[in-house]
Coordinates of all heavy atoms in Angstrom, one line a residue:
G310 N 44.5 16.5 45.0 CA 45.7 16.2 45.9 C 46.8 17.1 45.5 O 47.0 17.5 44.3
M311 N 47.6 17.5 46.5 CA 48.8 18.3 46.3 C 49.9 17.7 47.1 O 49.9 17.8 48.3 CB 48.5 19.8 46.7 CG 47.7 20.5 45.6 SD 47.6 22.3 46.1 CE 46.4 22.2 47.3
K312 N 51.0 17.3 46.4 CA 52.1 16.7 47.1 C 53.3 17.5 46.8 O 53.7 17.7 45.7 CB 52.3 15.3 46.5 CG 53.6 14.5 46.9 CD 53.4 13.9 48.2 CE 54.7 13.4 48.8 NZ 55.6 14.4 49.4
N313 N 53.9 18.0 47.9 CA 55.1 18.8 47.7 C 56.3 17.8 47.4 O 56.5 16.9 48.2 CB 55.4 19.5 49.1 CG 56.5 20.5 49.0 OD1 57.6 20.1 48.5 ND2 56.3 21.7 49.5
L314 N 57.0 18.1 46.4 CA 57.9 17.1 45.9 C 59.3 17.3 46.7 O 60.3 16.6 46.4 CB 58.2 17.2 44.4 CG 57.0 16.7 43.6 CD1 57.2 16.9 42.1 CD2 56.6 15.3 43.9
G315 N 59.4 18.3 47.5 CA 60.7 18.5 48.3 C 60.4 18.3 49.8 O 61.4 18.5 50.5
S316 N 59.3 17.9 50.2 CA 59.0 17.7 51.7 C 58.0 16.6 51.8 O 57.5 16.1 50.7 CB 58.6 19.0 52.3 OG 57.3 19.2 52.1
S317 N 57.5 16.4 53.0 CA 56.6 15.3 53.1 C 55.1 15.9 53.1 O 54.2 15.1 53.2 CB 56.7 14.6 54.5 OG 56.6 15.6 55.5
E318 N 55.0 17.2 52.9 CA 53.7 17.8 52.9 C 52.8 17.2 51.7 O 53.2 17.1 50.6 CB 53.9 19.3 52.6 CG 52.7 20.1 53.0 CD 53.0 21.6 52.7 OE1 54.0 22.1 53.3 OE2 52.3 22.1 51.9
H319 N 51.6 16.8 52.1 CA 50.6 16.2 51.2 C 49.3 16.5 51.6 O 48.9 16.1 52.7 CB 50.9 14.7 51.1 CG 50.1 14.0 50.0 ND1 50.2 12.6 49.8 CD2 49.3 14.5 49.1 CE1 49.4 12.3 48.7 NE2 48.8 13.4 48.3
M320 N 48.5 17.2 50.8 CA 47.2 17.6 51.2 C 46.1 17.1 50.2 O 46.3 17.1 49.0 CB 47.1 19.1 51.3 CG 47.7 19.6 52.6 SD 47.3 21.4 52.8 CE 48.4 22.1 51.7
I321 N 45.0 16.6 50.7 CA 44.0 16.1 49.9 C 42.7 16.7 50.3 O 42.4 16.9 51.5 CB 43.8 14.5 50.0 CG1 45.2 13.9 49.6 CG2 42.7 14.0 49.1 CD1 45.2 12.4 49.7
S322 N 41.9 17.2 49.3 CA 40.5 17.7 49.7 C 39.5 17.1 48.7 O 39.8 16.6 47.7 CB 40.6 19.2 49.7 OG 41.1 19.7 48.4
L323 N 38.3 17.2 49.2 CA 37.1 16.8 48.4 C 36.3 18.1 48.0 O 36.2 19.0 48.8 CB 36.2 15.9 49.2 CG 36.6 14.4 49.3 CD1 35.5 13.7 50.1 CD2 36.8 13.8 47.9
V324 N 35.7 18.1 46.8 CA 35.0 19.3 46.4 C 33.6 18.7 45.9 O 33.5 18.4 44.7 CB 35.7 20.1 45.3 CG1 34.9 21.3 45.0 CG2 37.1 20.4 45.7
P325 N 32.6 18.7 46.7 CA 31.3 18.4 46.2 C 30.8 19.6 45.4 O 31.1 20.8 45.8 CB 30.4 18.2 47.5 CG 31.2 18.6 48.6 CD 32.6 18.8 48.1
K326 N 30.1 19.4 44.3 CA 29.8 20.6 43.4 C 28.5 20.3 42.7 O 28.0 19.2 42.6 CB 31.0 20.7 42.5 CG 31.2 19.5 41.6 CD 32.4 19.6 40.7 CE 32.6 18.3 39.9 NZ 33.7 18.4 39.0
I327 N 28.1 21.4 42.1 CA 26.8 21.4 41.3 C 27.0 22.3 40.1 O 27.5 23.4 40.2 CB 25.6 21.7 42.2 CG1 24.4 21.1 41.6 CG2 25.4 23.1 42.4 CD1 23.4 20.8 42.7
Y328 N 26.7 21.7 38.9 CA 26.9 22.5 37.7 C 25.5 22.6 37.1 O 24.7 21.7 37.0 CB 27.8 21.6 36.7 CG 28.0 22.2 35.3 CD1 29.2 22.8 35.0 CD2 27.1 22.0 34.3 CE1 29.5 23.3 33.8 CE2 27.4 22.6 33.0 CZ 28.6 23.1 32.8 OH 28.9 23.6 31.5
I329 N 25.2 23.9 36.7 CA 23.9 24.2 36.2 C 24.0 24.8 34.8 O 24.5 25.9 34.6 CB 23.1 25.2 37.1 CG1 23.0 24.5 38.6 CG2 21.7 25.3 36.6 CD1 22.5 25.5 39.6
A330 N 23.5 24.1 33.8 CA 23.6 24.6 32.4 C 22.2 25.4 32.2 O 21.2 24.8 32.5 CB 23.7 23.5 31.4
L331 N 22.3 26.6 31.9 CA 21.2 27.5 31.9 C 20.4 27.5 30.5 O 19.2 27.8 30.6 CB 21.6 28.9 32.2 CG 22.4 29.1 33.5 CD1 23.0 30.5 33.5 CD2 21.5 28.9 34.6
T332 N 21.1 27.2 29.5 CA 20.4 27.3 28.2 C 20.1 25.9 27.6 O 20.8 25.0 27.9 CB 21.2 28.1 27.1 OG1 22.5 27.5 27.1 CG2 21.4 29.6 27.6
K333 N 19.3 25.9 26.6 CA 19.0 24.6 25.9 C 20.2 24.2 25.0 O 20.2 23.0 24.6 CB 17.8 24.8 24.9 CG 16.5 24.8 25.7 CD 15.3 24.9 24.7 CE 14.0 25.0 25.4 NZ 13.0 25.5 24.4
R334 N 21.1 25.1 24.7 CA 22.3 24.7 24.0 C 23.4 24.3 25.0 O 24.5 23.9 24.6 CB 22.8 25.8 23.2 CG 22.2 25.8 21.8 CD 22.7 27.1 21.1 NE 21.5 27.7 20.5 CZ 21.6 28.9 20.0 NH1 22.7 29.6 19.9 NH2 20.6 29.5 19.3
G335 N 23.2 24.6 26.3 CA 24.2 24.2 27.3 C 25.4 25.2 27.2 O 26.4 25.0 27.8
H336 N 25.3 26.3 26.5 CA 26.4 27.1 26.2 C 26.7 28.2 27.3 O 27.7 28.9 27.2 CB 26.4 27.7 24.8 CG 25.5 28.9 24.7 ND1 24.2 28.8 25.0 CD2 25.7 30.1 24.1 CE1 23.5 29.9 24.7 NE2 24.4 30.8 24.2
L337 N 25.8 28.3 28.3 CA 25.9 29.2 29.4 C 25.7 28.3 30.6 O 24.7 27.7 30.7 CB 24.9 30.3 29.3 CG 25.2 31.6 28.7 CD1 24.0 32.5 28.8 CD2 26.5 32.3 29.1
A338 N 26.7 28.4 31.5 CA 26.5 27.6 32.8 C 27.2 28.2 33.9 O 28.1 29.1 33.8 CB 27.1 26.2 32.5
I339 N 26.7 27.8 35.1 CA 27.4 28.2 36.3 C 27.7 27.0 37.1 O 27.0 26.0 37.0 CB 26.5 29.2 37.2 CG1 25.2 28.6 37.5 CG2 26.4 30.5 36.6 CD1 24.4 29.4 38.5
S340 N 28.7 27.0 38.0 CA 29.1 25.8 38.8 C 29.6 26.4 40.1 O 30.2 27.4 40.2 CB 30.1 25.0 38.1 OG 30.4 23.9 38.8
I341 N 29.2 25.6 41.2 CA 29.8 26.1 42.5 C 30.1 24.8 43.3 O 29.5 23.7 43.2 CB 28.7 26.9 43.2 CG1 29.3 27.4 44.5 CG2 27.4 26.3 43.4 CD1 28.7 28.7 45.1
G342 N 31.2 24.8 44.1 CA 31.6 23.7 44.9 C 32.1 24.2 46.2 O 32.6 25.4 46.3
R343 N 32.2 23.3 47.2 CA 32.8 23.7 48.4 C 34.0 22.8 48.6 O 33.9 21.6 48.5 CB 31.8 23.5 49.6 CG 32.5 23.7 50.8 CD 31.6 24.2 52.0 NE 32.5 24.5 53.1 CZ 32.1 24.8 54.3 NH1 30.7 24.9 54.5 NH2 32.9 25.0 55.3
E344 N 35.2 23.3 48.9 CA 36.3 22.5 49.0 C 36.5 22.1 50.5 O 36.6 23.0 51.4 CB 37.6 23.3 48.5 CG 38.9 22.5 48.6 CD 40.0 23.1 47.9 OE1 39.8 24.1 47.1 OE2 41.2 22.8 48.3
I345 N 36.6 20.8 50.8 CA 36.7 20.4 52.1 C 38.1 19.6 52.3 O 38.2 18.4 51.7 CB 35.5 19.4 52.5 CG1 34.2 20.2 52.2 CG2 35.5 19.0 53.9 CD1 33.0 19.3 52.1
P346 N 39.0 20.1 53.1 CA 40.2 19.3 53.3 C 39.9 18.1 54.0 O 39.2 18.1 55.0 CB 41.1 20.3 54.1 CG 40.5 21.7 54.0 CD 39.0 21.4 53.8
I347 N 40.5 16.9 53.6 CA 40.3 15.6 54.3 C 41.6 15.0 54.8 O 41.5 14.0 55.5 CB 39.4 14.7 53.5 CG1 40.2 14.5 52.1 CG2 38.0 15.1 53.2 CD1 39.6 13.2 51.4
Y348 N 42.7 15.5 54.3 CA 44.0 14.9 54.7 C 45.1 15.9 54.7 O 45.1 16.7 53.8 CB 44.2 13.7 53.8 CG 45.6 13.0 54.0 CD1 45.7 12.1 55.0 CD2 46.7 13.4 53.3 CE1 47.0 11.5 55.3 CE2 47.9 12.8 53.4 CZ 48.1 11.9 54.5 OH 49.3 11.3 54.7
G349 N 46.0 15.9 55.6 CA 47.2 16.6 55.6 C 47.1 18.1 56.0 O 47.8 19.0 55.7
G350 N 46.0 18.3 56.9 CA 45.9 19.7 57.5 C 44.8 20.4 56.9 O 44.2 20.1 55.9
T351 N 44.5 21.5 57.6 CA 43.4 22.4 57.1 C 43.9 23.8 56.9 O 44.0 24.6 57.8 CB 42.2 22.5 58.1 OG1 42.8 22.6 59.4 CG2 41.3 21.3 58.0
P352 N 44.4 24.1 55.7 CA 44.9 25.4 55.4 C 44.0 26.6 55.4 O 44.4 27.7 55.3 CB 45.5 25.2 54.0 CG 44.8 24.1 53.4 CD 44.3 23.2 54.5
F353 N 42.7 26.3 55.5 CA 41.7 27.4 55.5 C 40.4 26.9 56.4 O 40.3 25.7 56.5 CB 41.3 27.8 54.1 CG 40.9 26.6 53.2 CD1 39.8 26.0 53.3 CD2 41.9 26.2 52.3 CE1 39.4 24.9 52.5 CE2 41.6 25.1 51.5 CZ 40.4 24.5 51.6
K354 N 39.7 27.9 56.7 CA 38.5 27.5 57.5 C 37.4 27.0 56.5 O 36.7 26.1 56.7 CB 37.9 28.7 58.3 CG 38.8 29.0 59.5 CD 38.2 30.1 60.3 CE 39.1 30.4 61.6 NZ 38.7 31.6 62.2
Y355 N 37.2 27.8 55.4 CA 36.4 27.3 54.4 C 36.7 27.9 53.0 O 37.3 29.0 53.0 CB 34.8 27.4 54.6 CG 34.3 28.8 55.1 CD1 34.0 29.7 54.1 CD2 34.2 29.0 56.4 CE1 33.5 30.9 54.5 CE2 33.7 30.3 56.8 CZ 33.3 31.2 55.8 OH 32.9 32.4 56.3
R356 N 36.3 27.2 52.0 CA 36.6 27.7 50.6 C 35.5 27.3 49.7 O 35.1 26.2 49.7 CB 38.0 27.2 50.1 CG 38.2 27.5 48.6 CD 39.6 27.0 48.1 NE 40.7 27.9 48.7 CZ 41.9 27.5 48.7 NH1 42.3 26.3 48.2 NH2 42.9 28.2 49.1
Y357 N 35.1 28.3 48.9 CA 34.1 28.0 47.9 C 34.7 28.3 46.5 O 35.5 29.3 46.3 CB 32.9 28.9 48.0 CG 32.0 28.6 49.2 CD1 32.1 29.2 50.4 CD2 31.1 27.5 49.1 CE1 31.3 28.9 51.5 CE2 30.3 27.1 50.2 CZ 30.5 27.8 51.4 OH 29.7 27.4 52.5
V358 N 34.4 27.4 45.6 CA 35.0 27.6 44.2 C 33.8 27.7 43.3 O 32.7 27.1 43.5 CB 35.9 26.4 43.8 CG1 37.2 26.4 44.6 CG2 35.2 25.0 44.0
G359 N 34.0 28.4 42.2 CA 32.8 28.6 41.3 C 33.4 28.9 39.9 O 34.6 29.2 39.7
F360 N 32.4 28.9 39.0 CA 32.7 29.6 37.7 C 31.4 29.9 36.9 O 30.4 29.3 37.2 CB 33.7 28.7 36.8 CG 33.3 27.3 36.4 CD1 32.3 27.1 35.4 CD2 33.9 26.2 37.0 CE1 31.9 25.8 35.1 CE2 33.5 25.0 36.7 CZ 32.5 24.7 35.7
I361 N 31.6 30.8 36.0 CA 30.5 31.2 35.1 C 31.1 31.0 33.7 O 32.2 31.5 33.5 CB 30.0 32.6 35.2 CG1 29.6 32.9 36.7 CG2 28.9 33.0 34.2 CD1 29.3 34.4 36.9
L362 N 30.4 30.2 32.9 CA 31.0 29.8 31.6 C 30.2 30.2 30.5 O 29.0 30.1 30.5 CB 31.1 28.2 31.8 CG 31.4 27.3 30.6 CD1 31.9 26.0 31.1 CD2 30.2 27.1 29.7
W363 N 30.8 30.6 29.4 CA 30.1 31.0 28.2 C 30.9 30.4 27.0 O 32.0 30.7 26.7 CB 30.0 32.5 28.1 CG 29.5 32.9 26.7 CD1 28.6 32.4 26.0 CD2 29.9 34.1 26.1 NE1 28.3 33.1 24.9 CE2 29.1 34.2 24.9 CE3 30.8 35.3 26.4 CZ2 29.2 35.2 24.0 CZ3 30.9 36.2 25.5 CH2 30.1 36.3 24.3
D364 N 30.2 29.4 26.3 CA 30.8 28.8 25.1 C 30.5 29.8 24.0 O 29.4 29.7 23.3 CB 30.1 27.5 24.8 CG 30.9 26.3 25.2 OD1 32.1 26.3 25.0 OD2 30.2 25.4 25.9
Y365 N 31.3 30.8 23.8 CA 30.9 32.0 22.9 C 30.7 31.6 21.4 O 30.0 32.3 20.8 CB 31.9 33.1 23.0 CG 33.4 32.7 22.8 CD1 33.9 32.6 21.5 CD2 34.3 32.4 23.8 CE1 35.2 32.2 21.2 CE2 35.6 32.0 23.5 CZ 36.0 31.9 22.2 OH 37.3 31.5 21.9
V366 N 31.2 30.4 21.0 CA 30.9 30.1 19.5 C 29.5 29.5 19.4 O 29.1 29.4 18.3 CB 32.0 29.1 19.0 CG1 33.3 29.7 18.6 CG2 32.2 27.9 20.0
D367 N 28.9 29.1 20.4 CA 27.5 28.5 20.3 C 26.4 29.5 20.4 O 25.3 29.1 20.3 CB 27.3 27.4 21.4 CG 28.0 26.2 21.2 OD1 28.5 26.0 19.9 OD2 28.2 25.4 22.1
G368 N 26.8 30.8 20.4 CA 25.7 31.8 20.4 C 26.0 32.8 21.5 O 26.7 32.6 22.4
G369 N 25.3 33.9 21.3 CA 25.3 35.0 22.3 C 24.7 34.7 23.6 O 24.0 33.6 23.8
I370 N 24.9 35.5 24.6 CA 24.4 35.2 25.9 C 22.8 35.2 26.0 O 22.3 34.7 26.9 CB 24.9 36.1 27.1 CG1 25.8 37.2 26.6 CG2 25.7 35.2 28.0 CD1 26.6 37.9 27.7
F371 N 22.2 35.9 25.1 CA 20.8 35.9 25.1 C 20.1 34.9 24.2 O 18.9 34.8 24.1 CB 20.3 37.3 24.7 CG 20.8 38.4 25.7 CD1 21.8 39.3 25.3 CD2 20.4 38.4 27.1 CE1 22.3 40.2 26.2 CE2 20.8 39.3 28.0 CZ 21.8 40.2 27.5
S372 N 20.9 34.0 23.5 CA 20.3 33.1 22.6 C 20.3 31.7 23.2 O 21.0 31.4 24.2 CB 21.0 33.1 21.3 OG 22.3 32.6 21.5
G373 N 19.3 30.9 22.7 CA 19.3 29.5 23.2 C 18.6 29.2 24.5 O 18.8 28.1 25.0

Side-chain angles (χ1 to χ4, degrees):
M311 278 188 285
K312 170 83 188 81
N313 188 313
L314 294 177
S316 78
S317 61
E318 201 180 298
H319 188 178
M320 281 191 284
I321 301 178
S322 51
L323 279 181
V324 186
K326 57 181 179 178
I327 203 152
Y328 179 102
I329 305 170
L331 302 168
T332 56
K333 284 188 186 158
R334 274 176 226 170
H336 74 307
L337 269 183
I339 54 174
S340 184
I341 183 157
R343 173 153 186 187
E344 185 175 336
I345 304 161
I347 54 165
Y348 175 81
T351 41
F353 47 78
K354 288 183 176 168
Y355 51 87
R356 172 177 285 162
Y357 289 98
V358 292
F360 60 75
I361 304 172
L362 167 159
W363 172 34
D364 262 314
Y365 55 82
V366 280
D367 284 343
I370 7 193
F371 299 109
S372 65

